[in-house]
Amino acid sequence: MYNKEVLEELISKFGIENTILFCKMKAVKNAILYEDCVRNQESTADCIEFDFERDWWQNKYEELNKTKAL
């Protein structure tokens, strides 16, 4: 299942407010994992997944916040 599908399920089951919080938490979690990966000098290939996930969930957090404000 891709992130987009997960996001849609979360909105359906938990509502927009809880999903916004989840997106922020998921982005922060992946930022922590990315920073740890880089700090431990692991290969770029190992860290790239955390980098992508951090940005994807952060973008969805921002998008949902804008949608909510409308």
Side-chain angles (χ1 to χ4, degrees):
M1 184 177 272
Y2 294 103
N3 286 347
K4 186 176 186 294
E5 295 164 313
V6 171
L7 183 68
E8 291 167 0
E9 281 287 318
L10 291 170
I11 292 170
S12 173
K13 290 182 179 185
F14 299 105
I16 196 79
E17 290 291 331
N18 289 327
T19 304
I20 289 171
L21 176 59
F22 176 86
C23 289
K24 185 61 177 177
M25 293 171 71
K26 190 83 165 163
V28 169
K29 179 199 99 162
N30 282 293
I32 292 166
L33 293 172
Y34 174 76
E35 291 165 10
D36 184 62
C37 187
V38 170
R39 186 176 26 247
N40 290 318
Q41 300 178 336
E42 296 178 31
S43 73
T44 303
D46 292 336
C47 300
I48 211 159
E49 175 88 17
F50 300 128
D51 186 39
F52 171 82
E53 290 291 321
R54 176 201 61 208
D55 293 346
W56 196 93
W57 288 103
Q58 181 64 32
N59 288 337
K60 291 306 166 191
Y61 166 77
E62 293 168 7
E63 287 174 24
L64 291 175
N65 255 336
K66 286 179 188 174
T67 303
K68 183 186 79 165
L70 298 175

